[in-house]
Amino acid sequence: SQKIEQNSEALNIQEGKTATLTCNYTNYSPAYLQWYRQDPGRGPVFLLLIRENEKEKRKERLKVTFDTTLKQSLFHITASQPADSATYLCALATSGGYNKLIFGAGTRLAVHP
Amino acid sequence: GAGVSQTPSNKVTEKGKYVELRCDPISGHTALYWYRQSLGQGPEFLIYFQGTGAADDSGLPNDRFFAVRPEGSVSTLKIQRTERGDSAVYLCASSAETGGNEKLFFGSGTQLSVL
């Protein structure tokens, strides 16, 4: 069956450290993958998109990697801050020309001062 | 408006009642999506509109759910004969184009509680 898995346990890290979140998938061939941030009571906010032919994408303190052989994406936040505390969602899109995204359940990140 | 607006933010109803949830997308966005998010889960696709037409409604759970977008902007998600299992946050999202890799802008959602 098709699955997207993110760490279900919360990730607790110290301010200034690098947070690494994992997204694994099975039985999909995604055309691209997106990462979103979600705060309590709010909708997801887009962070980064990486295509199947890209290995790595960066934006400020954020970095995403995409390994289609391992069927895995890693999401890194460097020099983490308490304001980075939120739930991070990965989402796959196969093809079809529109954003029929399949989301993982998300990983909650808590950055402690 | 500045972002995607959803009303009401909270809706409490009784089992068997009819509800309507409204979405105002970002002005000019042609693509509009409805997703549903249960507690502790990621959003789940319901329906996609390109302009006025529902291009993909494969995520609607059953025929009690229906959505419209008559003028290509505001959309309404309609749920008939609500059941307790319909309780969730209903999220609307829009995007500027339909290339398939455009980022989605989400609203804050409508928390639906069916008692």
Side-chain angles (χ1 to χ4, degrees):
Chain A
S1 63
Q2 297 176 316
K3 278 196 305 186
I4 301 173
E5 291 183 334
Q6 296 186 253
N7 292 359
S8 57
E9 292 183 12
L11 179 63
N12 290 281
I13 64 167
Q14 211 60 32
E15 183 176 8
K17 302 292 186 184
T18 295
T20 298
L21 286 71
T22 304
C23 177
N24 295 298
Y25 60 92
T26 55
N27 295 326
Y28 285 112
S29 296
Y32 57 92
L33 185 149
Q34 299 184 11
W35 283 88
Y36 287 79
R37 167 186 173 139
Q38 188 170 29
D39 292 283
R42 312 289 295 185
V45 175
F46 173 83
L47 296 174
L48 281 169
L49 179 152
I50 187 164
R51 294 178 178 81
E52 60 178 333
N53 60 350
E54 297 175 319
K55 297 284 188 198
E56 182 179 296
K57 188 72 76 74
R58 291 176 185 261
K59 178 183 176 184
E60 297 171 353
R61 295 186 295 114
L62 308 180
K63 184 177 87 171
V64 172
T65 63
F66 193 10
D67 188 325
T68 55
T69 302
L70 290 179
K71 296 187 183 301
Q72 180 181 78
S73 175
L74 298 179
F75 177 80
H76 307 270
I77 306 175
T78 59
S80 60
Q81 304 165 1
D84 295 327
S85 298
T87 295
Y88 291 86
L89 300 160
C90 74
L92 301 182
T94 49
S95 55
Y98 54 98
N99 275 320
K100 185 176 182 178
L101 298 177
I102 302 148
F103 282 85
T107 297
R108 191 158 56 85
L109 172 67
V111 181
H112 302 282
Chain B
V4 177
S5 174
Q6 291 189 247
T7 54
S9 55
N10 282 281
K11 177 70 177 178
V12 181
T13 191
E14 293 179 346
K15 181 175 179 293
K17 298 290 188 183
Y18 168 83
V19 297
E20 289 190 352
L21 311 180
R22 178 188 168 102
C23 172
D24 280 272
I26 292 173
S27 178
H29 279 194
T30 57
L32 185 145
Y33 302 79
W34 285 96
Y35 283 79
R36 178 168 74 172
Q37 187 171 24
S38 300
L39 193 62
Q41 301 298 314
E44 179 187 23
F45 171 83
L46 296 178
I47 188 169
Y48 157 62
F49 285 91
Q50 173 50 35
T52 61
D56 184 344
D57 65 357
S58 62
L60 294 178
N62 49 59
D63 61 6
R64 294 187 298 105
F65 289 74
F66 189 71
V68 296
R69 194 186 185 198
E71 298 178 355
S73 57
V74 171
S75 177
T76 305
L77 178 65
K78 308 180 181 194
I79 310 174
Q80 297 178 323
R81 304 182 304 280
T82 52
E83 299 177 357
R84 292 195 179 87
D86 298 336
S87 297
V89 175
Y90 289 81
L91 294 164
C92 177
S94 67
S95 67
E97 298 175 21
T98 58
N101 56 15
E102 295 297 321
K103 61 185 180 181
L104 292 183
F105 293 83
F106 281 88
S108 291
T110 294
Q111 172 72 65
L112 177 66
S113 301
V114 182
L115 304 179

